[in-house]
Amino acid sequence: MSKRVLLVDDDFNITQGFKRVVHGLPSEWKFQFVGSGLEALRLMDEQPFDVIVSDMRMPGMNGAELLQIVMGKFPQVVRIIFSGYSDPAMVLRSIRPAHRFLAKPCATENVIAAISQTLDALDLVPDENLKKMAAGISDLPVSNYVYENLLRELEIYDSSLKKVGHLINRDIAIFALSLKLVSSEFLGLPQPIGIIQQVFERIGLESIKKIVLDKNVLFMEENMALPEKFPLEVINKHSVSVAQLAAEIAGRAGADGDERTAAAIGGMLHDIGKIVLFGFPGLYQRITNYVAVQQCDLCEAERQILGTTHAELGACLLGLWGLPGNIVRAVAHHHCAPKKTANSLAGTAIQRAELLAETNNNLPLDGELLKLLDPKWFDLDRIVT
Ligand SMILES: [Fe+2]
Ligand SMILES: [Fe+2]
């Protein structure tokens, strides 16, 4: 299947550089080049593209404005922006419409690698409608409670990064968005993601403030059209519990630092696909009705209605946002790994943490309580019944 990529840049030298590199790519890569947003939109009206890569600074329509239009008209198209950091306000405006941000100067090979990763992420879901659904997501609901407390903490003179990080760690949407910013170079931060606390230290209070205060970046749950019985708080609480337990289980199973981080971050984000589904109230209702009528589990109902589950859908979104592959895989496989594929240690730890969290009503388990748990929970070779 060919990969159709549209590159938009008014800088002749940049497009020439790309032309030289893409000339040597396998024939399934089809690139087209234009020099402005208007030309890009005209071409997209005439023929389909899988990916648009746009420069930010261009005369007339800038890259953020172009991607905003593309997001509305062609939601299935992967949107990548590349720019310098000279105008932070403009960078901020691209957070919503762009899946990924690449910092200039950026080697052409890195742009190709980013395009490949995003297309691989889209392949996690089976059909065009789901690809459109995942790629079209730009907003996730942030819990009112977290949002209001964040605002309060950020408004005080000596806001504490620790308290801010603690609040962000309680909400899947803002946690995921923070990782999107770190993974995708939006803020010019060094990769890869280290331990979770460091993510917020790297973003820094000033950038967090800008993101939280910008009305175009975060959306509170009360401002979004969500299903009536929308259990955001329940999922947030469950996710915090799974993250804590998955990191503990992976640690006790001998995971190294990277795998433990993947277990913790994957644990926090494992059900992000459920939040994506909440954004489609009709679909969400059909799935919950199916569960009620057929008395089956959620994944079975999702497979019947969507042809996939919230696990793959969530992993697809995280892959589009440029999160590391081990986290994307752990989220994709948190209910089951594909046939003939051994699950990663992080994925297995999240599966086990999911069971354990539900057995304990998603209550936080501190160090003392963890010590009292039956060791069977930490033996990853054993099936827990
Ligand atoms: Fe879960
Ligand atoms: Fe799940």
Side-chain angles (χ1 to χ4, degrees):
M1 187 79 173
S2 66
K3 301 168 173 64
R4 297 152 302 187
V5 182
L6 178 59
L7 191 116
V8 192
D9 201 314
D10 60 313
D11 185 334
F12 179 76
N13 292 328
I14 300 263
T15 45
Q16 283 306 103
F18 264 98
K19 277 181 186 165
R20 270 195 299 276
V21 172
V22 303
H23 190 66
L25 286 176
S27 60
E28 72 257 27
W29 286 85
K30 307 237 176 294
F31 273 78
Q32 300 224 43
F33 302 86
V34 290
S36 75
L38 281 179
E39 282 175 89
L41 291 172
R42 208 172 298 134
L43 202 55
M44 290 180 90
D45 275 332
E46 288 166 10
Q47 53 184 280
F49 286 94
D50 299 298
V51 183
I52 179 167
V53 183
S54 176
D55 180 31
M56 177 73 89
R57 283 181 170 279
M58 294 183 292
M61 189 186 297
N62 68 41
E65 289 163 340
L66 170 62
L67 294 196
Q68 186 74 38
I69 298 173
V70 171
M71 183 171 74
K73 277 185 87 173
F74 313 99
Q76 72 281 12
V77 174
V78 173
R79 304 173 298 270
I80 298 175
I81 200 141
F82 63 129
S83 169
Y85 297 107
S86 52
D87 186 347
M90 217 187 243
V91 173
L92 209 61
R93 245 173 278 143
S94 69
I95 290 175
R96 236 183 118 236
H99 291 115
R100 299 197 57 168
F101 183 103
L102 298 173
K104 264 185 172 178
C106 180
T108 313
E109 291 75 7
N110 292 348
V111 180
I112 306 285
I115 295 171
S116 262
Q117 277 168 15
T118 48
L119 290 174
D120 287 349
L122 271 188
D123 282 342
L124 283 167
V125 292
D127 70 43
E128 288 309 309
N129 282 337
L130 288 166
K131 289 181 203 298
K132 191 186 272 189
M133 189 167 151
I137 295 289
S138 59
D139 315 318
L140 294 172
V142 175
S143 107
N144 294 339
Y145 171 85
V146 170
Y147 190 81
E148 279 157 13
N149 279 285
L150 258 180
L151 279 184
R152 213 165 295 139
E153 183 58 34
L154 290 169
E155 269 163 11
I156 60 178
Y157 168 69
D158 55 349
S159 339
S160 140
L161 187 58
K162 201 171 161 199
K163 280 191 196 158
V164 169
H166 185 70
L167 279 166
I168 294 175
N169 275 335
R170 292 189 46 162
D171 184 274
I172 300 178
I174 189 165
F175 182 86
L177 185 74
S178 305
L179 293 181
K180 175 185 183 184
L181 298 178
V182 176
S183 307
S184 238
E185 304 181 12
F186 274 96
L187 302 170
L189 300 167
Q191 297 201 54
I193 295 170
I195 58 171
I196 294 178
Q197 297 91 302
Q198 282 176 355
V199 170
F200 306 117
E201 279 166 29
R202 281 200 239 158
I203 293 176
L205 265 180
E206 275 317 299
S207 296
I208 292 177
K209 223 178 247 187
K210 280 187 202 131
I211 293 159
V212 174
L213 298 179
D214 190 311
K215 293 275 177 285
N216 294 312
V217 179
L218 291 186
F219 287 80
M220 284 166 76
E221 53 179 315
E222 65 183 22
N223 295 334
M224 292 181 74
L226 299 170
E228 239 171 74
K229 287 182 190 154
F230 172 61
L232 183 60
E233 260 322 303
V234 176
I235 291 191
N236 276 338
K237 200 171 140 206
H238 167 71
S239 304
V240 170
S241 177
V242 170
Q244 180 205 20
L245 292 168
E248 181 72 24
I249 291 168
R252 289 209 206 173
D256 62 17
D258 274 0
E259 200 68 6
R260 219 175 151 212
T261 301
I265 294 180
M268 182 66 192
L269 297 175
H270 74 287
D271 278 338
I272 194 169
K274 286 186 183 171
I275 297 189
V276 169
L277 284 172
F278 294 152
F280 300 85
L283 208 48
Y284 176 73
Q285 201 57 56
R286 276 178 62 200
I287 293 167
T288 48
N289 289 348
Y290 192 95
V291 171
V293 173
Q294 301 293 330
Q295 298 283 301
C296 62
D297 70 19
L298 181 70
C299 287
E300 177 55 26
E302 289 171 340
R303 261 186 224 108
Q304 288 301 326
I305 290 172
L306 297 173
T308 191
T309 71
H310 64 274
E312 288 90 2
L313 192 59
C316 172
L317 179 67
L318 298 176
L320 286 172
W321 285 2
L323 263 71
N326 57 350
I327 296 173
V328 174
R329 277 190 300 278
V331 170
H333 305 157
H334 81 264
H335 285 290
C336 59
K339 285 192 183 80
K340 295 184 191 155
T341 312
N343 206 346
S344 65
L345 206 156
T348 310
I350 294 169
Q351 274 182 357
R352 183 65 55 86
E354 174 112 281
L355 278 174
L356 181 50
E358 274 168 11
T359 306
N360 287 285
N361 291 324
N362 296 316
L363 293 170
L365 294 169
D366 64 18
E368 284 310 305
L369 284 172
L370 280 171
K371 274 187 219 154
L372 296 175
L373 283 171
D374 187 326
K376 72 179 182 184
W377 289 104
F378 302 99
D379 178 358
L380 292 188
D381 291 330
R382 189 173 154 164
I383 306 230
V384 178
T385 50

